[in-house]
Amino acid sequence: RPRNPAAPMLQAVALAVLAAAGLKGEVLEDFDPIEVFDERFKDIVDPGARLTRVAWLDGARTEGPAWVWEIGALAFTTGNCPTKPGWDDTYLVGNGGQAHPRGPEPVLRHSNHSNGQTIDFTGLGIYVCETTGRRVSLLRLDEQGRAVSRTTVVDNYKGTPLNSPNDVVVKSDGTVWFTDPSYGCIQFPENSCKLPGDVYRFDPETGDLTVVYTGLDKPNGLAFSLDESRLYVVDSGAMHADFDPSRPHEVLEFTVAGEGPNTKLVGGKRFAEISPGIPDGLKLDNLGNLYVAAGDGVQVFSPEGTLLGKIHTPPYPSKFSHLTPGYGQCSNVETGGALGTPPFPHYRRHVFYLAAGPGLYAITLKTSGGDRPRPEPPGPGA
């Protein structure tokens, strides 16, 4: 539990913390990120496209990019696991409007080593997976990008504290789905995990928290298919206390069966085995292609599971950098608009954001974001 769930969000981080931040908007001309495996990949991204580095926080481990579409900014976290500089804050980049989008600014200090995040239907609320807070919380921002409230969504299952919520998505019916592996108890051994690593469904209207699937080693990223009949779930068990390739490093595809509190995931089958490194965050585009954060960047698969291509991310120092020489493990991904362009609703999300170590990167796609929640597109003539 946070030491004080309400107080930290309004505290300013000392300006010295931002001294390491910078390099926003730098195009990496000398790093070629695109690798084509299938000609269809050229319809997704230009083979000559380059990454733009929009944030760099030295020593941080960026995670949880979430497009706050109401203000045209990207929220991200900085330390879901221990870092030597002690990063544990949530930032916004791009706040301030199209004319003067600002670089990374702290919006929440002491975020309880937050991990995955996703936006709510308002475009200003962020569902947050807190590793050491052991809860899913809701962080609400105002139209200036300031935190105004931080509340617990769910922090226990039948009275037992959650392990360490890892990633979260919101279904179109408003239910909140999240994974709860034991990573927090490995990374922060003062914690003790007593629940199996499950996938959960929480209904904010009824308060019901139900297990939709149990039995994965380390459930991680998740994403619904476009029609929400299927759920993709990462099992990253290969990354335990150390890297063990004999354990799972795959994306599974489940059918969503049942309704309400009786909803379950059934028929899990391997969609793709991921290497090098481990799979982490997931995202779909409007064609149903699946983008998987991996050890060498992002691996992009067709709806049938064919590897179409990769968007590589630059290397950075880490305990596991030897697994992916020349590249850096990507932790999570998001689709959005250009920084500083509010409102930029979901159906026009052509900018792809990649969190990888200390860096946060962007690249323009020919496709658009396909996951929910999504506001309705304007009518004819709008």
Side-chain angles (χ1 to χ4, degrees):
R1 302 278 291 192
R3 288 161 291 182
N4 184 336
M9 65 188 173
L10 299 177
Q11 297 176 2
V13 176
L15 291 179
V17 173
L18 289 179
L23 302 176
K24 59 182 184 293
E26 180 186 2
V27 179
L28 305 185
E29 295 287 1
D30 295 331
F31 182 80
D32 184 1
I34 305 302
E35 185 175 1
V36 177
F37 286 76
D38 186 295
E39 287 298 304
R40 289 174 290 175
F41 196 51
K42 296 178 181 179
D43 295 326
I44 294 174
V45 63
D46 188 328
R50 289 294 185 266
L51 294 172
T52 297
R53 182 163 48 197
V54 298
W56 180 270
L57 301 174
D58 194 32
R61 189 182 187 279
T62 58
E63 247 286 7
W67 178 243
V68 188
W69 50 264
E70 185 62 26
I71 59 174
L74 192 76
F76 65 98
T77 63
T78 59
N80 68 307
C81 59
T83 61
K84 288 183 178 179
W87 288 101
D88 180 24
D89 308 299
T90 299
Y91 280 77
L92 279 181
V93 62
N95 193 26
Q98 187 172 8
H100 304 287
R102 297 191 292 270
E105 301 175 313
V107 68
L108 178 65
R109 189 180 180 185
H110 303 311
S111 67
N112 295 320
H113 298 280
S114 294
N115 201 325
Q117 304 185 125
T118 195
I119 200 72
D120 73 356
F121 293 136
T122 70
L124 286 170
I126 308 170
Y127 285 104
V128 183
C129 291
E130 299 183 10
T131 300
T132 53
R134 306 181 72 166
R135 65 174 183 169
V136 177
S137 59
L138 181 60
L139 176 65
R140 293 195 181 278
L141 309 181
D142 64 16
E143 293 182 353
Q144 283 72 50
R146 298 172 299 199
V148 294
S149 68
R150 184 185 183 193
T151 57
T152 297
V153 176
V154 60
D155 61 2
N156 72 89
Y157 179 64
K158 296 183 177 179
T160 300
L162 296 175
N163 295 331
S164 53
N166 185 281
D167 213 347
V168 58
V169 292
V170 181
K171 198 167 180 280
S172 60
D173 61 4
T175 54
V176 180
W177 298 56
F178 65 96
T179 53
D180 187 41
S182 59
Y183 279 129
C185 298
I186 298 171
Q187 298 160 339
F188 301 91
E190 65 272 19
N191 294 331
S192 175
C193 291
K194 301 184 181 303
L195 292 171
D198 290 337
V199 183
Y200 290 93
R201 173 189 181 273
F202 178 73
D203 188 337
E205 290 191 4
T206 65
D208 290 332
L209 177 66
T210 54
V211 173
V212 294
Y213 193 80
T214 189
L216 298 181
D217 190 331
K218 294 290 184 296
N220 198 318
L222 67 174
F224 281 102
S225 63
L226 296 181
D227 63 2
E228 298 184 332
S229 66
R230 290 163 290 125
L231 184 72
Y232 301 96
V233 183
V234 162
D235 191 342
S236 56
M239 189 63 73
H240 195 68
D242 208 335
F243 183 75
D244 181 356
S246 69
R247 300 176 74 155
H249 44 102
E250 60 189 359
V251 180
L252 300 166
E253 182 182 14
F254 294 91
T255 297
V256 180
E259 296 182 357
N262 297 317
T263 302
K264 297 292 181 183
L265 299 179
V266 299
K269 63 179 182 179
R270 176 184 288 175
F271 179 80
E273 185 173 69
I274 305 299
S275 64
I278 60 164
D280 205 331
L282 300 177
K283 194 64 61 176
L284 266 77
D285 67 19
N286 62 319
L287 301 179
N289 299 310
L290 184 67
Y291 297 66
V292 183
D296 54 355
V298 174
Q299 300 183 12
V300 183
F301 294 85
S302 72
E304 297 77 31
T306 300
L307 178 61
L308 302 177
K310 297 182 179 183
I311 305 172
H312 293 296
T313 41
Y316 57 88
S318 79
K319 177 182 178 182
F320 303 104
S321 57
H322 64 283
L323 299 174
T324 57
Y327 304 115
Q329 171 79 43
C330 181
S331 59
N332 220 324
V333 293
E334 173 66 306
T335 52
L339 294 174
T341 54
F344 207 101
H346 186 96
Y347 56 88
R348 296 176 62 191
R349 289 181 167 189
H350 296 286
V351 182
F352 188 62
Y353 293 97
L354 310 86
L360 188 66
Y361 305 92
I363 195 167
T364 301
L365 301 181
K366 298 178 182 180
T367 56
S368 184
D371 65 315
R372 297 175 186 264
R374 66 180 86 183
E376 291 298 321

